[in-house]
Every structure is written in structure tokens, then in C-alpha cells.
Amino acid sequence: MNLIFLGSPGSGKGTLAKLLSSALGVPHISPGDILREEVKQNSELGHMALPIMKKGDLVPDEIILKMMKKRITQADCLGGFILDGFPRNRAQAIGLDEMLSGLDRSVIWTLQFEVSDECALKRLGGRRICSVCGADFNLFTKPPKNSDICDICGGKLLQRADDTDEVILNRLKVYRQETLPLEEYYKRQGKLIRINGELEAEVRLTEALKALGK
Ligand code: ADP
Ligand code: ZN
């Protein structure tokens, strides 16, 4: 099952993508995670992407398309995948359709999650991630026992460089201008499923599985 997750920053699509990925047994593919890993590795791609990500702008389409093609053509994607954060504009959506039709495949469903800006700011501004095990915390909704230490492994908790108020606001603006028009793109193809992003993750998982007939 080839799925796309569409949703603003802070809509909780990453959290749900991870849950649905284990429920369906298909890989969770996040270009944001791939790019952050490239930054960590100090690769050429990471070097190029870092200043763009720090501002919350979009990395150029050709680079993203090449990166995603490399990932989607790996063997573990043969049974399906969840794309979390791609496509992010019309050019990427068209590029994805072309890429998939070349592989004799297509997008099956697009799951869209919407939340208020207020909810997005709270989720992103309060987000803390363990630098060792990757566990997610939130100072408002899922606080760690000690403000900067992981409950699970004792690792140091960090804030993502683009989770500051100013950059969050730009990410929301870029989402509205570039990504939200894809709602219409997939709706016209009869592939859009809407889920309330403000619901608890477990409730959203149940809703998503029901909508997908699972
Ligand atoms: P969020 O959706 O919460 O903003 P992501 O982890 O999906 O966070 O993305 C982080 C950053 O990585 C984006 O702000 C952007 O700079 C870059 N990025 C991720 N996906 C794409 C994409 N499909 N096209 C262009 N840039 C991207
Ligand atoms: Zn940890």
C-alpha cells in the first residue's frame, strides 16, 4: 500500500507514520529524517541542506526527487511505503507520479492531517528529542521527569534547530503556500482521506486503519 501523509508541521504526521508503519509492516520514509541524517554525517547533501532547513524553507525539488527515487526503489518498498513529508509542492507531486508510473505503481491514498496553528506551535515548541535513543517528549503534553534528560535511556534531550517560534511560523507559511494546494491535487484524483490531527495518536491510528479498510 503506497501512502502519502499530508499535513502541516506539528500535525503529528511523523508520530502517526511510525505507528502505521509498524501496523502495516511497510517502511516509514521521511525526507526530513533523511536530510537530518545527512547533516549529521557532514555529507555534501547535508552541507547544502542545513542552511535551508534552519530557515524552514524547502530544499530544491531536483535534490529531493533524486533522494526519494533512491529510497523508493530500494527492495523494502516493494510491498508499499508511507511517505511522510513528501511531496511538498506540485512539482514534487508530479515528479512522484512520474517516478511511480515508471515503476508500474501509483499513490493509493493520501492521508491529510490538519491542526490549528496554536496546537502546532505547542507541539513543536515543546518538542524535545533524545540525542541517544531518539525518544520524543513534549514539555506541555508528555514531559520528561527531568527537563533535559531522557526517561528511557538517560540521554540528553535536544530541541530541533527548526523548532523555534520564528522558524515554526515560516514552516507553517511555507506549508500553506506550497503544500496545502496538494489537498486539491489528490482530492481530484479521489485519493484523499482526512483525519483530525488534534486527536490522540492512538485514536488517529484507529481512524486511519478503519479508513484504509484494515
Ligand atoms: P516538518 O514537517 O515538521 O516541518 P520535516 O522533518 O518533515 O519537518 O522537514 C524538515 C525540513 O526538511 C523542512 O523544513 C525542509 O527544509 C526539509 N524538507 C523535508 N522534506 C522536504 C521536501 N519534500 N522538500 C523540500 N524540503 C524538505
Ligand atoms: Zn533516550
Side-chain angles (χ1 to χ4, degrees):
M1 188 174 280
N2 305 333
L3 303 175
I4 293 178
F5 275 28
L6 191 65
S8 63
S11 61
K13 63 184 177 357
T15 307
L16 190 67
K18 286 192 195 94
L19 291 173
L20 196 62
S21 154
S22 18
L24 297 176
V26 297
H28 164 217
I29 303 174
S30 154
D33 285 349
I34 299 175
L35 290 169
R36 277 185 291 278
E37 190 54 35
E38 295 284 341
V39 169
K40 237 197 234 165
Q41 305 290 336
N42 237 317
S43 71
E44 207 177 306
L45 172 57
H47 258 277
M48 189 280 312
L50 181 62
I52 302 173
M53 294 170 76
K54 270 191 165 160
K55 284 192 282 179
D57 290 331
L58 295 186
V59 172
D61 296 336
E62 318 81 76
I63 292 165
I64 294 289
L65 283 164
K66 202 168 133 201
M67 190 177 96
M68 294 311 281
K69 183 158 193 189
K70 194 169 147 206
R71 183 63 190 89
I72 287 172
T73 48
Q74 284 171 16
D76 64 337
C77 290
L78 276 171
F81 47 72
I82 297 174
L83 301 179
D84 161 21
F86 172 80
R88 255 176 149 99
N89 60 25
R90 201 179 155 77
Q92 291 183 12
I94 292 169
L96 174 64
D97 281 347
E98 285 170 2
M99 193 189 298
L100 290 176
S101 75
L103 298 166
D104 243 345
R105 309 179 62 177
S106 61
V107 171
I108 305 294
W109 291 111
T110 298
L111 272 63
Q112 188 188 22
F113 308 89
E114 290 302 328
V115 294
S116 64
D117 283 6
E118 194 194 346
C119 174
L121 278 160
K122 202 161 132 189
R123 279 190 180 158
L124 298 173
R127 175 159 68 180
R128 296 293 181 276
I129 301 156
C130 175
S131 56
V132 178
C133 74
D136 257 310
F137 296 89
N138 188 293
L139 299 186
F140 307 112
T141 56
K142 190 185 166 194
K145 289 197 192 84
N146 292 301
S147 68
D148 55 357
I149 295 170
C150 175
D151 288 356
I152 299 162
C153 78
K156 194 173 162 47
L157 298 183
L158 300 176
Q159 184 168 26
R160 243 170 70 174
D162 58 353
D163 278 346
T164 59
D165 280 355
E166 192 193 344
V167 181
I168 293 169
L169 289 173
N170 187 48
R171 282 156 67 202
L172 289 169
K173 186 178 123 203
V174 170
Y175 174 76
R176 249 176 242 120
Q177 285 175 352
E178 303 275 332
T179 313
L180 196 54
L182 294 183
E183 176 183 358
E184 204 46 47
Y185 183 88
Y186 289 111
K187 199 165 126 193
R188 222 177 289 143
Q189 298 180 25
K191 292 181 174 173
L192 194 77
I193 296 173
R194 280 206 189 86
I195 292 173
N196 180 352
E198 303 210 7
L199 300 170
E200 290 288 321
E202 288 297 333
V203 181
R204 278 184 288 138
L205 177 64
T206 310
E207 296 257 307
L209 288 169
K210 200 169 69 189
L212 295 170
K214 295 280 171 182

